[in-house]
Amino acid sequence: MFMHPQIAFVGAEMIAPAIAPALAPVPRPIAAPQGGIAAGALVETGSGWLPVESLQPGMAVQTWDGGLAPIRAITTRWLLPVGAEATMIHLPGGVLGLCSDLWLAPDQLILLESAAAAEVLGHPLALVRAGALVGSLGITRQRQSAPRQIITPVFAQAEVVFANTGARILCPGAEGPAIAAPAVGGQAMGQGGYLDLLDDDRAQALAGLIEAGALKTRDLCPAA
């Protein structure tokens, strides 16, 4: 469970490959994006790894901060293969610790942890949209040729859950704002104890650094 009941995001400064900027984030509320996990993904529960489409209210799910949290509700929608918006984000197995391929809605928020983020942001954690990772790490946006079921577990408060082993998926909370990113117990955060929500440009830059294996600030700077 997240530590702060009041929920807000922090916008980090622009990530640039040549520099590691100082941050001066100001917590700000943000509207909940319409995310979701495609049917077929496995989510870690108190009873082991189960298909996301089999989850039910009341079931306990393993969360990132080390505890089990009961599902308050399940929202389900269908993405129909009609129009320009009929796309999903494909994350191939082996990327970001995934044991197998994962499909997410473009606006689903993912929690990334990397040494590159630590060097640029001052801490290793950042939230990004799944759609912002397209073009790096083998992640692609693909049109859907058949209806696809998209599921979102809802908890009392926003929680980060595990999907396909390595993906850390931010799920909404029923109490207060629908999407949240405050500090999690025992984890390093940005200024004020809040995670950084990166806009798409900054998320793409960070994904590029992760893909390139840039682990130190000096790796982000051009040679003299």
Side-chain angles (χ1 to χ4, degrees):
M1 180 181 295
F2 287 118
M3 293 175 61
H4 298 298
Q6 297 301 320
I7 289 165
F9 284 110
V10 168
E13 294 297 324
M14 180 69 70
I15 294 175
I19 59 174
L23 299 181
V26 177
R28 56 185 175 83
I30 187 169
Q34 189 175 29
I37 308 167
L42 298 177
V43 173
E44 187 176 12
T45 74
S47 302
W49 292 88
L50 298 176
V52 66
E53 64 270 26
S54 72
L55 300 181
Q56 299 293 329
M59 294 178 65
V61 174
Q62 186 68 47
T63 63
W64 179 57
D65 61 347
L68 291 169
I71 296 173
R72 180 71 66 87
I74 296 286
T75 63
T76 300
R77 61 189 175 95
W78 286 87
L79 179 68
L80 301 179
V82 177
E85 300 302 317
T87 62
M88 293 285 288
I89 306 304
H90 175 245
L91 291 80
V95 168
L96 302 178
L98 292 173
C99 64
S100 59
D101 291 6
L102 179 66
W103 293 85
L104 298 173
D107 283 339
Q108 175 60 54
L109 296 179
I110 304 173
L111 181 63
L112 295 183
E113 181 175 5
S114 77
E119 288 295 325
V120 175
L121 300 173
H123 57 89
L125 304 169
L127 283 169
V128 301
R129 287 193 326 115
L133 301 178
V134 170
S136 297
L137 303 166
I139 297 170
T140 57
R141 180 187 295 267
Q142 298 187 18
R143 287 189 56 82
Q144 303 301 291
S145 59
R148 188 179 286 273
Q149 187 182 19
I150 303 174
I151 299 99
T152 301
V154 180
F155 298 87
Q157 298 184 33
E159 300 284 358
V160 174
V161 304
F162 296 95
N164 289 11
T165 305
R168 284 167 282 195
I169 306 298
L170 184 63
C171 295
E175 300 173 1
I179 291 291
V184 179
Q187 303 294 336
M189 298 289 134
Q191 294 187 15
Y194 289 85
L195 292 169
D196 291 313
L197 174 65
L198 303 186
D199 63 27
D200 286 0
D201 287 341
R202 290 173 283 188
Q204 290 167 4
L206 176 59
L209 297 178
I210 295 172
E211 185 173 47
L215 301 182
K216 300 295 182 181
T217 304
R218 61 177 176 270
D219 296 331
L220 312 183
C221 301

